[in-house]
Amino acid sequence: MERLVGTVSRGVRAPIIRKGDDMAKIVVESVLAASESEGFALRDRDVVAVTEAVVARSQGNYATVEEIAADVKAKLGGGTVGVIFPILSRNRFAICLRGIASGCKKVVLMLSYPSDEVGNHLISMDQLDESGVNPWSDVLTEEKYRELFGYQKHRFTGVDYVEYYRSVIEDAGAECEIIFANNATAILSRTKTVLACDIHTRARTKRILTKAGAEKVLTLDDIMTASVNGSGYNDRYGLLGSNKATENSVKLFPIHCQELVDRVHAELKERTGKNIEVMIYGDGAFKDPVGQIWELADPVVSPAYTAGLEGTPNELKLKYLADNDFADLSGDALKAAISEAIVEKDQKAETLVGSMASQGTTPRRLTDLIGSLADLTSGSGDKGTPIILVQGYFDNYTK
């Protein structure tokens, strides 16, 4: 019988993960148990995706406020530090900010406006337009910001992040000054020592500040790159990708992820005989059209994956073929013509970049696409499915 189902994404339940748990064993056993329980077979090129949160938890990869403070003080001197372009998040940045402020005498906090890098708005675009302020050139003091915009609360969290971040800094024992600007060099009139806290634009920010005369510029991936007094660490991403664990600690992005995906891949191959791809995923790379928030607060969607997930899709657009190349066909003749075009494309194994027949297909990395699917499937609440099994993703109309 002809297969009538394409891609399927399943959330796989797993035990509650604790420090020291054998994550590879748990993933393999959970996937095999789900297959047996639900009566589906595992196939070549299935994808097993594991959320980074449980990987880091199994590693015990945490850092406290005190450990962050010690690293910041050692690397930035403990005086006045410009902390620029952080995202507005209690979960993602507030505990990091507490650690940073605890390692400084004074923090000059520079917030981008009207929103942060991932779309959390301090003020709306309409309010900005009405104010007459030019966000590309105007630097606002906290007093001027309040005069123009008053006390604004985030539409989802109900938090006034200006007030909240000030309280975090001052409660940590540091003096606080807040300004608003979108040009990184604006911070240099206050201090030449800067911690750039943006995520995806951090390299550019560092380059601009260095060229403009900053004496010391670090980014979040320069902090907690090695263990401090026995803490966790991430030698590649530092504090990037961290989440609040407790009021005094953060869970860091997991380390040694490639070792884990390679082991899971090998054990699944041994147990099933199938070549199953494996990846670790964090935030999906998508944007909420209502809240305008870009989900990707992690430095990457996937910090590690098997080789079969490298690259981007190479697909034909079926509706383009139906409306153009085979517009005079219908029914079985149309199906046969489209199937033949797909088979020919696969046999040639040539890239379709620039081809009209591929226009509108998504030229994003496979790991970003599948990681986003996994993130949407697992959610961020109480589903209890930190493992996602994606089947049929690499199938096409001919399979």
Side-chain angles (χ1 to χ4, degrees):
M1 177 182 285
E2 180 183 6
R3 237 172 80 193
L4 299 178
V5 175
T7 301
V8 175
S9 180
R10 288 183 173 91
V12 176
R13 290 185 176 171
I16 302 299
I17 307 301
R18 295 296 189 190
K19 179 180 178 181
D21 286 348
D22 186 336
M23 201 64 231
K25 180 180 179 181
I26 289 172
V27 172
V28 171
E29 295 295 341
S30 297
V31 170
L32 293 178
S35 172
E36 182 178 355
S37 171
E38 298 299 316
F40 59 82
L42 297 172
R43 301 194 294 264
D44 285 325
R45 299 224 74 190
D46 285 353
V47 181
V48 169
V50 185
T51 179
E52 59 82 23
V54 296
V55 177
R57 193 184 306 146
S58 72
Q59 296 170 343
N61 202 20
Y62 294 83
T64 66
V65 164
E66 292 76 18
E67 290 158 351
I68 295 170
D71 204 34
V72 168
K73 186 172 183 179
K75 291 175 177 176
L76 291 170
T80 299
V81 176
V83 175
I84 73 171
F85 299 155
I87 63 173
L88 307 174
S89 173
R90 293 169 296 176
N91 176 46
R92 287 290 191 168
F93 191 69
I95 306 302
C96 294
L97 179 59
R98 183 172 299 155
I100 293 164
S102 297
C104 304
K105 181 179 180 181
K106 177 180 179 179
V107 170
V108 182
L109 180 66
M110 190 170 90
L111 301 174
S112 56
Y113 72 100
S115 72
D116 68 10
E117 177 185 5
V118 296
N120 291 296
H121 277 74
L122 286 170
I123 54 175
S124 70
M125 289 299 297
D126 290 339
Q127 289 173 309
L128 181 63
D129 292 341
E130 290 168 5
S131 72
V133 170
N134 184 341
W136 303 112
S137 60
D138 293 348
V139 179
L140 307 179
T141 63
E142 186 177 359
E143 181 181 20
K144 185 62 177 178
Y145 171 85
R146 294 300 192 192
E147 177 188 325
L148 290 168
F149 305 113
Y151 288 77
Q152 300 287 328
K153 293 186 177 181
H154 191 281
R155 63 179 298 182
F156 294 136
T157 65
V159 173
D160 180 332
Y161 278 97
V162 178
E163 183 176 63
Y164 177 53
Y165 278 3
R166 171 175 282 282
S167 70
V168 169
I169 293 167
E170 292 178 341
D171 288 349
E175 183 183 348
C176 177
E177 178 184 357
I178 301 178
I179 62 174
F180 304 80
N182 292 310
N183 186 335
T185 61
I187 195 67
L188 298 180
S189 63
R190 269 80 173 177
T191 178
K192 297 292 195 297
T193 301
V194 184
L195 178 60
C197 298
D198 42 343
I199 304 165
H200 307 292
T201 54
R202 62 189 185 277
R204 177 175 181 266
T205 298
K206 191 172 191 176
R207 172 175 52 80
I208 288 171
L209 285 168
T210 301
K211 185 177 180 180
E215 294 172 0
K216 182 172 288 187
V217 185
L218 298 183
T219 51
L220 284 179
D221 53 352
D222 293 318
I223 306 299
M224 299 308 299
T225 54
S227 181
V228 176
N229 301 323
S231 73
Y233 68 96
N234 192 301
D235 52 358
R236 185 175 182 186
Y237 294 117
L239 279 178
L240 288 176
S242 62
N243 291 83
K244 177 180 178 180
T246 69
E247 293 300 329
N248 195 58
S249 65
V250 295
K251 176 194 65 60
L252 300 170
F253 219 42
I255 54 175
H256 309 315
C257 293
Q258 195 61 46
E259 298 171 19
L260 174 62
V261 299
D262 290 342
R263 183 181 161 199
V264 172
H265 176 267
E267 292 190 14
L268 284 171
K269 177 75 171 177
E270 181 179 345
R271 298 280 294 273
T272 69
K274 304 298 181 181
N275 181 34
I276 297 173
E277 306 293 350
V278 184
M279 66 181 290
I280 309 298
Y281 71 94
D283 280 343
F286 48 83
K287 184 176 181 178
D288 170 26
V290 176
Q292 301 300 306
I293 297 172
W294 186 33
E295 175 69 11
L296 189 55
D298 287 329
V300 290
V301 172
S302 177
Y305 48 88
T306 47
L309 297 177
E310 189 65 58
T312 59
N314 195 47
E315 301 172 342
L316 293 168
K317 195 78 167 181
L318 296 192
K319 65 183 180 182
Y320 178 88
L321 295 177
D323 292 342
N324 292 271
D325 295 29
F326 309 124
D328 57 333
L329 301 178
S330 62
D332 289 343
L334 176 60
K335 180 178 179 180
I338 288 178
S339 297
E340 184 178 346
I342 294 172
V343 170
E344 183 180 349
K345 176 263 295 185
D346 289 343
Q347 289 175 342
K348 288 182 178 179
E350 295 176 352
T351 178
L352 293 173
V353 173
S355 167
M356 291 299 289
S358 69
Q359 64 178 329
T361 57
T362 309
R364 292 165 59 190
R365 293 186 302 180
L366 290 168
T367 51
D368 292 345
L369 292 165
I370 299 171
S372 297
L373 174 60
D375 189 29
L376 287 166
T377 303
S378 62
S380 58
D382 56 8
K383 288 185 171 61
T385 55
I387 304 163
I388 305 300
L389 175 65
V390 180
Q391 297 189 292
Y393 191 86
F394 295 100
D395 291 353
N396 59 41
Y397 188 59
T398 68
K399 302 296 174 66

Coordinates of all heavy atoms in Angstrom, one line a residue, residues 62-135:
Y62 N 26.6 23.7 36.3 CA 26.0 24.9 37.0 C 27.0 25.8 37.4 O 28.2 25.4 37.7 CB 25.1 24.4 38.2 CG 23.9 23.6 37.8 CD1 24.0 22.2 37.6 CD2 22.6 24.2 37.7 CE1 22.9 21.5 37.3 CE2 21.5 23.4 37.4 CZ 21.6 22.1 37.2 OH 20.6 21.3 36.8
A63 N 26.6 27.1 37.6 CA 27.5 28.1 38.2 C 26.7 29.0 39.1 O 25.6 29.3 38.8 CB 28.2 28.9 37.1
T64 N 27.3 29.3 40.2 CA 26.6 30.2 41.2 C 26.9 31.7 40.9 O 27.9 32.0 40.2 CB 27.0 29.9 42.6 OG1 28.4 30.2 42.8 CG2 26.8 28.4 43.0
V65 N 26.2 32.5 41.5 CA 26.4 34.0 41.5 C 27.8 34.3 41.9 O 28.5 35.1 41.3 CB 25.4 34.7 42.3 CG1 25.8 36.2 42.6 CG2 24.0 34.7 41.6
E66 N 28.2 33.7 43.0 CA 29.6 34.0 43.6 C 30.7 33.5 42.6 O 31.7 34.2 42.5 CB 29.7 33.2 44.9 CG 28.9 33.8 46.0 CD 27.4 33.3 45.9 OE1 27.1 32.3 45.2 OE2 26.6 33.9 46.6
E67 N 30.5 32.4 41.9 CA 31.5 31.9 41.0 C 31.5 32.8 39.7 O 32.6 33.1 39.2 CB 31.2 30.5 40.6 CG 31.4 29.5 41.7 CD 30.6 28.2 41.7 OE1 29.7 28.1 40.8 OE2 30.9 27.3 42.5
I68 N 30.4 33.3 39.3 CA 30.4 34.2 38.1 C 31.0 35.5 38.6 O 31.9 36.1 37.8 CB 28.9 34.5 37.7 CG1 28.3 33.3 37.1 CG2 28.9 35.7 36.7 CD1 26.8 33.4 36.9
A69 N 30.7 36.0 39.7 CA 31.3 37.3 40.2 C 32.9 37.2 40.3 O 33.6 38.1 39.9 CB 30.8 37.6 41.6
A70 N 33.4 36.0 40.8 CA 34.8 35.8 40.9 C 35.5 35.9 39.5 O 36.5 36.5 39.3 CB 35.1 34.5 41.6
D71 N 34.8 35.3 38.5 CA 35.4 35.3 37.1 C 35.3 36.6 36.5 O 36.3 37.1 35.9 CB 34.6 34.3 36.3 CG 35.4 33.8 35.1 OD1 36.6 33.6 35.2 OD2 34.8 33.5 34.0
V72 N 34.2 37.4 36.7 CA 34.1 38.7 36.2 C 35.1 39.7 36.8 O 35.8 40.4 36.1 CB 32.7 39.3 36.4 CG1 32.6 40.8 36.1 CG2 31.7 38.5 35.5
K73 N 35.3 39.6 38.1 CA 36.3 40.4 38.8 C 37.7 40.1 38.3 O 38.5 41.1 38.0 CB 36.2 40.2 40.3 CG 37.0 41.2 41.1 CD 36.7 41.1 42.6 CE 37.6 42.1 43.3 NZ 37.3 42.0 44.8
A74 N 38.0 38.9 38.1 CA 39.3 38.5 37.7 C 39.6 39.0 36.3 O 40.7 39.4 35.9 CB 39.5 37.0 37.8
K75 N 38.6 38.9 35.4 CA 38.8 39.2 34.0 C 38.6 40.7 33.6 O 39.1 41.2 32.7 CB 37.9 38.3 33.1 CG 38.3 36.9 33.2 CD 37.3 36.0 32.4 CE 37.8 34.5 32.4 NZ 36.9 33.6 31.8
L76 N 37.8 41.4 34.4 CA 37.4 42.8 34.1 C 37.9 43.8 35.2 O 37.7 45.0 35.0 CB 35.9 42.9 33.9 CG 35.4 42.3 32.6 CD1 33.9 42.2 32.6 CD2 35.9 42.9 31.4
G77 N 38.5 43.3 36.2 CA 39.1 44.2 37.2 C 38.4 44.7 38.4 O 38.9 45.2 39.3
G78 N 37.0 44.5 38.4 CA 36.3 44.8 39.6 C 35.9 46.3 39.8 O 35.3 46.6 40.8
G79 N 36.2 47.1 38.8 CA 35.9 48.5 38.9 C 34.5 48.8 38.2 O 33.5 48.2 38.5
T80 N 34.6 49.9 37.4 CA 33.4 50.3 36.6 C 33.3 49.5 35.3 O 34.3 49.5 34.5 CB 33.4 51.8 36.3 OG1 33.3 52.5 37.6 CG2 32.1 52.2 35.5
V81 N 32.2 48.8 35.0 CA 32.1 48.0 33.8 C 30.8 48.4 33.1 O 29.8 48.5 33.7 CB 32.1 46.5 34.2 CG1 31.8 45.6 33.0 CG2 33.4 46.1 34.9
G82 N 31.0 48.6 31.8 CA 29.8 48.8 31.0 C 29.2 47.4 30.6 O 29.9 46.6 30.0
V83 N 28.0 47.2 30.9 CA 27.3 46.0 30.6 C 26.2 46.3 29.5 O 25.2 47.0 29.8 CB 26.6 45.3 31.8 CG1 25.8 44.1 31.4 CG2 27.6 45.0 32.9
I84 N 26.5 45.9 28.3 CA 25.7 46.5 27.2 C 24.9 45.4 26.4 O 25.3 44.3 26.3 CB 26.5 47.3 26.2 CG1 27.4 46.4 25.4 CG2 27.4 48.3 27.0 CD1 28.1 47.2 24.2
F85 N 23.8 45.8 25.9 CA 22.9 45.0 25.1 C 22.5 43.7 25.6 O 22.4 42.7 24.9 CB 23.6 44.8 23.7 CG 23.9 46.0 22.9 CD1 25.0 46.0 22.0 CD2 23.2 47.2 23.1 CE1 25.3 47.2 21.3 CE2 23.5 48.4 22.4 CZ 24.6 48.4 21.5
P86 N 22.1 43.6 26.9 CA 21.6 42.3 27.4 C 20.2 42.1 26.9 O 19.5 43.1 26.6 CB 21.6 42.5 28.9 CG 21.4 44.0 29.1 CD 22.1 44.6 28.0
I87 N 19.7 40.8 26.9 CA 18.3 40.6 26.6 C 17.5 40.8 27.9 O 18.1 40.8 29.0 CB 18.1 39.2 26.1 CG1 18.4 38.1 27.1 CG2 18.8 39.0 24.7 CD1 18.0 36.7 26.6
L88 N 16.3 41.1 27.8 CA 15.4 41.4 28.9 C 14.7 40.1 29.3 O 13.7 39.7 28.8 CB 14.3 42.4 28.5 CG 14.9 43.7 27.9 CD1 13.7 44.6 27.4 CD2 15.8 44.5 28.9
S89 N 15.3 39.4 30.3 CA 14.8 38.1 30.7 C 15.2 37.8 32.1 O 16.3 37.8 32.5 CB 15.3 37.0 29.7 OG 15.0 35.7 30.2
R90 N 14.2 37.4 32.9 CA 14.4 37.0 34.3 C 15.1 35.6 34.2 O 16.0 35.3 35.0 CB 13.1 36.9 35.1 CG 12.5 38.2 35.4 CD 11.1 38.1 35.9 NE 10.2 37.4 34.9 CZ 8.9 37.1 35.2 NH1 8.4 37.3 36.4 NH2 8.2 36.6 34.2
N91 N 14.7 34.8 33.3 CA 15.2 33.4 33.2 C 16.6 33.4 32.6 O 17.5 32.6 33.0 CB 14.2 32.6 32.3 CG 14.7 31.2 32.0 OD1 15.2 30.5 32.9 ND2 14.7 30.8 30.8
R92 N 16.8 34.2 31.5 CA 18.0 34.1 30.8 C 19.2 35.0 31.3 O 20.3 34.7 31.1 CB 17.8 34.5 29.3 CG 17.0 33.4 28.6 CD 17.9 32.2 28.3 NE 17.3 31.3 27.4 CZ 18.0 30.3 26.8 NH1 19.2 30.1 27.1 NH2 17.4 29.5 26.0
F93 N 18.8 36.2 31.9 CA 19.9 37.1 32.2 C 20.0 37.6 33.6 O 21.0 38.0 34.1 CB 19.8 38.3 31.2 CG 21.1 39.2 31.3 CD1 22.3 38.7 30.8 CD2 21.0 40.4 31.9 CE1 23.4 39.5 30.9 CE2 22.1 41.2 32.0 CZ 23.4 40.8 31.5
A94 N 18.9 37.6 34.4 CA 18.9 38.3 35.7 C 19.9 37.7 36.6 O 20.6 38.4 37.3 CB 17.5 38.2 36.3
I95 N 20.0 36.3 36.7 CA 21.0 35.7 37.6 C 22.4 36.0 37.1 O 23.3 36.3 37.9 CB 20.7 34.2 37.8 CG1 19.3 34.0 38.2 CG2 21.7 33.6 38.8 CD1 18.8 34.7 39.5
C96 N 22.6 36.0 35.8 CA 23.9 36.4 35.3 C 24.3 37.8 35.7 O 25.4 38.1 36.1 CB 23.9 36.2 33.8 SG 23.8 34.5 33.1
L97 N 23.3 38.7 35.6 CA 23.5 40.1 35.9 C 23.9 40.2 37.4 O 24.7 41.0 37.7 CB 22.3 40.9 35.6 CG 22.3 42.4 35.9 CD1 23.5 43.1 35.1 CD2 21.0 43.1 35.6
R98 N 23.2 39.5 38.2 CA 23.5 39.5 39.7 C 25.0 39.1 39.9 O 25.7 39.7 40.7 CB 22.6 38.6 40.4 CG 22.8 38.6 41.9 CD 21.7 37.9 42.7 NE 20.4 38.4 42.4 CZ 19.3 37.8 42.4 NH1 19.3 36.5 42.7 NH2 18.1 38.4 42.1
G99 N 25.4 38.1 39.2 CA 26.8 37.6 39.3 C 27.8 38.7 38.8 O 28.8 39.0 39.4
I100 N 27.5 39.3 37.6 CA 28.3 40.3 37.0 C 28.4 41.5 38.0 O 29.5 42.0 38.2 CB 27.7 40.7 35.7 CG1 27.8 39.6 34.6 CG2 28.5 42.0 35.1 CD1 26.9 39.8 33.4
A101 N 27.3 42.0 38.5 CA 27.3 43.1 39.3 C 28.0 42.9 40.6 O 28.7 43.7 41.2 CB 25.8 43.6 39.7
S102 N 28.0 41.6 41.1 CA 28.7 41.3 42.3 C 30.2 41.3 42.2 O 30.9 41.4 43.2 CB 28.3 39.9 42.8 OG 26.9 39.8 43.1
G103 N 30.6 41.3 40.9 CA 32.1 41.3 40.6 C 32.5 42.7 40.2 O 33.7 42.9 39.7
C104 N 31.7 43.7 40.4 CA 32.0 45.1 40.0 C 31.7 46.1 41.1 O 30.9 45.9 41.9 CB 31.2 45.5 38.7 SG 31.4 44.4 37.3
K105 N 32.4 47.2 41.0 CA 32.1 48.3 41.9 C 30.9 49.1 41.4 O 30.0 49.5 42.1 CB 33.3 49.3 42.1 CG 33.1 50.4 43.0 CD 34.3 51.3 43.2 CE 34.1 52.5 44.1 NZ 35.3 53.3 44.3
K106 N 30.9 49.4 40.0 CA 29.8 50.1 39.4 C 29.5 49.4 38.1 O 30.4 49.0 37.4 CB 30.2 51.5 39.2 CG 29.1 52.3 38.4 CD 29.5 53.8 38.2 CE 28.4 54.6 37.5 NZ 28.7 56.0 37.3
V107 N 28.2 49.3 37.8 CA 27.7 48.8 36.5 C 27.0 50.0 35.7 O 26.1 50.6 36.3 CB 26.7 47.7 36.6 CG1 26.1 47.3 35.3 CG2 27.5 46.4 37.2
V108 N 27.5 50.3 34.5 CA 26.8 51.1 33.6 C 26.1 50.2 32.7 O 26.6 49.6 31.8 CB 27.7 52.1 32.8 CG1 26.9 53.0 32.0 CG2 28.6 52.9 33.8
L109 N 24.8 50.1 32.9 CA 23.9 49.2 32.1 C 23.4 50.0 30.9 O 22.7 51.0 31.0 CB 22.8 48.7 32.9 CG 21.8 47.7 32.2 CD1 22.5 46.4 31.9 CD2 20.6 47.5 33.2
M110 N 23.7 49.5 29.7 CA 23.2 50.2 28.5 C 22.3 49.2 27.7 O 22.7 48.1 27.3 CB 24.4 50.5 27.5 CG 24.0 51.4 26.4 SD 25.4 52.1 25.4 CE 25.6 50.8 24.2
L111 N 21.0 49.6 27.7 CA 20.0 48.8 27.1 C 19.7 49.3 25.7 O 19.6 50.6 25.4 CB 18.7 48.9 27.9 CG 18.8 48.4 29.3 CD1 17.5 48.7 30.1 CD2 19.2 46.9 29.4
S112 N 19.5 48.4 24.7 CA 19.1 48.8 23.4 C 17.6 49.1 23.5 O 16.8 48.6 24.3 CB 19.3 47.7 22.4 OG 18.7 46.5 22.8
Y113 N 17.1 50.0 22.5 CA 15.7 50.3 22.5 C 15.2 50.5 21.1 O 16.0 50.8 20.2 CB 15.4 51.6 23.4 CG 16.0 52.9 22.8 CD1 15.1 53.8 22.2 CD2 17.3 53.2 22.9 CE1 15.6 55.0 21.6 CE2 17.8 54.4 22.4 CZ 16.9 55.3 21.8 OH 17.4 56.5 21.2
P114 N 14.0 50.3 20.7 CA 12.8 50.0 21.6 C 12.8 48.6 22.2 O 12.0 48.3 23.0 CB 11.6 50.3 20.7 CG 12.1 49.9 19.4 CD 13.6 50.4 19.3
S115 N 13.7 47.7 21.6 CA 13.6 46.3 22.1 C 15.0 45.7 22.2 O 16.0 46.3 21.8 CB 12.8 45.4 21.1 OG 13.6 45.2 19.9
D116 N 15.1 44.6 22.9 CA 16.4 43.9 22.9 C 16.6 43.1 21.6 O 15.8 43.1 20.7 CB 16.5 43.0 24.2 CG 15.5 41.8 24.1 OD1 14.9 41.5 23.1 OD2 15.4 41.1 25.2
E117 N 17.7 42.4 21.6 CA 18.1 41.7 20.4 C 17.1 40.6 19.9 O 17.0 40.4 18.8 CB 19.5 41.0 20.7 CG 20.0 40.1 19.6 CD 21.3 39.4 20.1 OE1 21.7 39.6 21.3 OE2 21.9 38.8 19.2
V118 N 16.4 40.0 20.9 CA 15.5 39.0 20.5 C 14.0 39.4 20.5 O 13.1 38.6 20.4 CB 15.6 37.7 21.4 CG1 17.0 37.1 21.2 CG2 15.3 38.0 22.9
G119 N 13.8 40.7 20.6 CA 12.4 41.2 20.4 C 11.6 41.5 21.6 O 10.4 41.8 21.5
N120 N 12.2 41.4 22.8 CA 11.5 41.9 24.0 C 11.5 43.4 24.0 O 12.5 44.0 24.1 CB 12.1 41.4 25.3 CG 12.0 39.9 25.4 OD1 10.9 39.4 25.6 ND2 13.1 39.2 25.4
H121 N 10.3 44.0 24.0 CA 10.2 45.5 23.9 C 10.1 46.2 25.2 O 9.4 45.8 26.1 CB 8.9 45.8 23.1 CG 9.1 45.8 21.6 ND1 9.2 44.6 20.9 CD2 9.3 46.7 20.7 CE1 9.4 44.8 19.6 NE2 9.5 46.1 19.4
L122 N 11.0 47.2 25.3 CA 10.8 48.1 26.4 C 9.6 49.1 26.2 O 8.9 49.4 27.1 CB 12.1 49.0 26.6 CG 13.3 48.3 27.2 CD1 14.5 49.2 27.0 CD2 13.1 48.0 28.7
I123 N 9.6 49.5 24.9 CA 8.5 50.4 24.5 C 8.0 49.9 23.1 O 8.8 49.2 22.4 CB 8.9 51.9 24.4 CG1 10.2 52.0 23.6 CG2 9.1 52.4 25.8 CD1 10.6 53.4 23.3
S124 N 6.9 50.3 22.7 CA 6.4 49.9 21.3 C 7.0 50.8 20.3 O 7.5 52.0 20.5 CB 4.9 50.0 21.3 OG 4.4 51.4 21.3
M125 N 7.0 50.4 19.0 CA 7.4 51.2 17.9 C 6.6 52.4 17.8 O 7.1 53.5 17.4 CB 7.4 50.4 16.6 CG 8.4 49.3 16.5 SD 10.1 49.9 16.6 CE 10.2 50.9 15.1
D126 N 5.3 52.3 18.1 CA 4.4 53.5 18.0 C 4.8 54.6 19.0 O 4.9 55.8 18.7 CB 3.0 53.1 18.2 CG 2.4 52.3 17.1 OD1 2.9 52.4 16.0 OD2 1.4 51.6 17.3
Q127 N 5.1 54.1 20.2 CA 5.6 55.1 21.2 C 6.9 55.7 20.8 O 7.1 56.9 21.0 CB 5.8 54.4 22.6 CG 4.5 53.9 23.2 CD 4.7 53.1 24.5 OE1 5.5 52.1 24.4 NE2 4.1 53.4 25.6
L128 N 7.8 55.0 20.2 CA 9.1 55.5 19.8 C 8.8 56.5 18.7 O 9.4 57.6 18.7 CB 9.9 54.4 19.2 CG 11.3 54.8 18.7 CD1 12.2 55.4 19.9 CD2 12.0 53.6 18.1
D129 N 7.9 56.2 17.7 CA 7.7 57.2 16.6 C 7.1 58.5 17.2 O 7.4 59.6 16.7 CB 6.7 56.6 15.7 CG 7.3 55.4 14.9 OD1 8.5 55.3 14.8 OD2 6.5 54.6 14.3
E130 N 6.2 58.4 18.2 CA 5.5 59.5 18.7 C 6.5 60.4 19.5 O 6.3 61.6 19.6 CB 4.4 59.1 19.6 CG 3.2 58.5 18.9 CD 2.2 57.8 19.8 OE1 2.4 57.9 21.0 OE2 1.2 57.2 19.3
S131 N 7.5 59.8 20.0 CA 8.5 60.6 20.9 C 9.4 61.5 20.1 O 10.0 62.4 20.6 CB 9.3 59.6 21.7 OG 10.3 58.9 20.8
G132 N 9.6 61.2 18.8 CA 10.5 61.9 18.0 C 12.0 61.6 18.2 O 12.9 62.2 17.7
V133 N 12.2 60.5 19.0 CA 13.6 60.1 19.3 C 14.1 59.3 18.1 O 13.4 58.5 17.5 CB 13.6 59.3 20.6 CG1 15.0 58.6 20.7 CG2 13.3 60.1 21.8
N134 N 15.4 59.5 17.8 CA 16.1 58.8 16.7 C 16.9 57.6 17.4 O 17.9 57.9 18.0 CB 17.0 59.6 15.9 CG 17.7 58.9 14.8 OD1 17.7 57.6 14.8 ND2 18.2 59.6 13.8
P135 N 16.4 56.4 17.4 CA 17.1 55.3 18.1 C 18.5 55.0 17.6 O 19.3 54.3 18.3 CB 16.1 54.1 17.9 CG 15.4 54.4 16.6 CD 15.3 55.9 16.6

